[in-house]
Amino acid sequence: MLGSLPIEADLMFDRPPPAPFDWVREGTSYWLFEENGAFGIPRNGVEAEPHNWDSRRFQANFAFPDGRVLRSVGVGAAVPTVDAAGQPTIMGAGPLTYRCIEPFKRWLVQFDGMVVDTHVAHQIGQTVDEERLVPLKYEFELDMVVPPNEQDISPEKFFTWGKGKQRDAASVGLGWRFEQMLRGEGVVEVDGVKRTARVNGSRIKRRSVRTDGLFLRGHAWQAVVFPDGRAAGYEARPVHDDGNEPWNEGFVYQDGRMYPAKATKVPWLTHLRESGDDVSFELESELGTTRIEGLTEMTVFQVARGHLWGLALSQSGARYTWDGAVAYGMVERSSTSVVGRDG
C-alpha cells in the first residue's frame, strides 16, 4: 500500500516550512460513505498554510439521501501535531482531527462540533439559515485497501507536459498529491442518536504550492472502491479555450494492480440538481475501456456569490455500478457555466 513515496510523506509538517519553501502547504481530506448509502461525508478537510500556521481552514460536510445537509466550515485553532510518542502524526483544526496510526495503512478521523442544519435545496437557492445549528459527532478508524494513486507534479515531470496541462497543474498543486481508497468503521452521533457504521471511500493528502483560482474554469473528479476490491477514479479539466489539452489523469485498480488511465467520458457540471444526476464515466487504460454508471445522492452545493472565483461547486456522493457490482463513492464537480436548476 506504500506506492513510491517515502513513509514520511504520510506524516505531517511539525512546523511551517522555511523560506524559500514557505509557499508550500499541506492538506488532508476524506470522503466517507456508509456502505448501504444511509449517509455520506462528501468531503471533510483541513489545510495547513505557512502564512497562517496556527489557524487553519477546515470544512466538514455530512449529507443524507433525503437532501438534508449538515455543514461546518471556517477557520479553527490548529491541533498539536506531535503525538505522545514524539511523532508528527496529527492534523486538525477546530472540531476536525486526523491521526495517522500507520502511514499509508491506517488513519483515525474525528469530528465533534456544531454544524449548520440545512437542505441541498436551500444551498442551491442560496437561502441557508446559518443560525440553525445542531451538534454532530463521529469517529472512524480507516484501513487503506488500494495503493495510493500518486500525482507527481515535480519539475522533472512538469516541463515534459504541454502548455494546457502545465496551466492546470498550477491549480492542482505544484509538488505531490495522492489519493487512496479505504474502508472502515466507527460511530456517528446525530439528533441525539448514536449508531455504529461501516464506511468506504477515499482520502487525499497533498504537500504542494497551490494557486487556487488560477486557470480554474471547472473540473470533474470521481473515485470509488467496490466490495470485490476493484477501484477506479480520475480528475479532469475541460479543454482550454485555445485548444490546449487539459489535465486528465485517472486509474483503474484491478487484480491487485494499478493501471494509469484517462477519462474519455466525463459528466461535467451543467446544471444544479438535488439528486439523481447521471455521473456515469469511462476510463481508457491498458485494460481497454472501463465503464462505470453513477447517479448522485447525498449532494452538497456551494453556489458562487462573490467567492469561489465565480464557480458553482458540487461535492457529493454517488451510487456507482460496475459490471453489476454496486458501491457508494465520491464525485466533485465545478463549473463557470451552470445553466440553471434542475429538480
Side-chain angles (χ1 to χ4, degrees):
M1 295 300 165
L2 298 181
S4 68
L5 293 169
I7 289 291
E8 292 73 20
D10 214 19
L11 301 178
M12 291 356 121
F13 282 142
D14 61 356
R15 59 181 61 87
F21 305 106
D22 49 354
W23 285 70
V24 175
R25 69 189 194 184
E26 188 167 57
T28 298
S29 61
Y30 280 74
W31 301 69
L32 306 175
F33 302 94
E34 198 275 333
E35 61 183 3
N36 297 310
F39 66 83
I41 300 174
R43 191 183 189 273
N44 61 34
V46 173
E47 296 276 357
E49 300 165 303
H51 67 277
N52 199 22
W53 190 254
D54 295 326
S55 297
R56 298 177 177 177
R57 292 187 294 117
F58 70 88
Q59 177 197 9
N61 297 323
F62 196 100
F64 296 92
D66 64 0
R68 185 185 182 193
V69 173
L70 308 177
R71 186 167 188 266
S72 178
V73 61
V75 176
V79 174
T81 303
V82 177
D83 63 19
Q87 297 298 308
T89 61
I90 303 169
M91 174 179 279
L96 183 58
T97 302
Y98 308 109
R99 183 165 67 88
C100 177
I101 301 172
E102 186 175 0
F104 295 101
K105 292 184 179 180
R106 182 169 294 177
W107 275 70
L108 184 73
V109 177
Q110 298 169 301
F111 182 91
D112 187 357
M114 302 300 290
V115 291
V116 175
D117 187 357
T118 188
H119 191 278
V120 63
H122 292 299
Q123 292 186 317
I124 292 173
Q126 302 184 67
T127 58
V128 174
D129 180 359
E130 301 288 345
E131 302 300 318
R132 182 181 170 127
L133 301 175
V134 297
L136 174 65
K137 186 175 183 178
Y138 55 79
E139 177 177 304
F140 291 100
E141 189 167 322
L142 305 165
D143 294 308
M144 308 304 120
V145 295
V146 172
N149 174 44
E150 300 173 9
Q151 292 179 341
D152 176 6
I153 310 180
S154 59
E156 305 93 275
K157 296 287 184 68
F158 182 87
F159 289 106
T160 67
W161 297 335
K163 290 182 179 180
K165 188 171 182 179
Q166 286 182 346
R167 292 171 190 162
D168 290 334
S171 56
V172 172
L174 304 176
W176 56 257
R177 171 190 182 275
F178 66 82
E179 180 175 20
Q180 200 167 14
M181 311 307 295
L182 55 85
R183 303 187 197 282
E185 56 186 49
V187 178
V188 174
E189 187 172 348
V190 61
D191 297 331
V193 177
K194 183 182 291 187
R195 59 165 292 181
T196 59
R198 297 180 60 85
V199 296
N200 57 260
S202 55
R203 63 122 180 180
I204 297 86
K205 191 168 187 294
R206 65 167 71 242
R207 189 172 290 169
S208 58
V209 177
R210 298 187 69 189
T211 56
D212 287 335
L214 185 63
F215 300 123
L216 277 184
R217 61 208 179 280
H219 80 298
W221 169 26
Q222 296 175 266
V224 57
V225 59
F226 287 85
D228 61 8
R230 292 179 299 167
Y234 73 92
E235 183 180 358
R237 310 291 171 100
V239 173
H240 289 267
D241 290 341
D242 58 9
N244 275 292
E245 287 297 310
W247 183 277
N248 185 332
E249 290 193 354
F251 71 94
V252 178
Y253 181 74
Q254 185 169 306
D255 299 324
R257 182 179 168 188
M258 184 76 78
Y259 296 88
K262 180 177 180 179
T264 52
K265 176 184 177 183
V266 178
W268 304 109
L269 181 66
T270 59
H271 51 268
L272 308 181
R273 188 172 186 179
E274 294 178 14
S275 66
D277 203 9
D278 185 352
V279 288
S280 303
F281 64 96
E282 295 182 2
L283 300 173
E284 197 70 28
S285 72
E286 183 182 324
L287 296 169
T289 301
T290 297
R291 298 179 176 88
I292 298 179
E293 298 174 355
L295 292 173
T296 56
E297 294 187 22
M298 299 168 283
T299 306
V300 175
F301 274 103
Q302 295 182 64
V303 181
R305 181 189 284 171
H307 67 303
L308 287 175
W309 310 284
L311 293 167
L313 174 66
S314 173
Q315 294 171 315
S316 305
R319 186 179 187 272
Y320 291 111
T321 305
W322 183 3
D323 294 337
V326 176
Y328 289 88
M330 63 80 64
V331 52
E332 179 180 273
R333 298 180 294 167
S334 66
S335 177
T336 57
S337 57
V338 171
V339 297
R341 177 174 178 172
D342 179 11

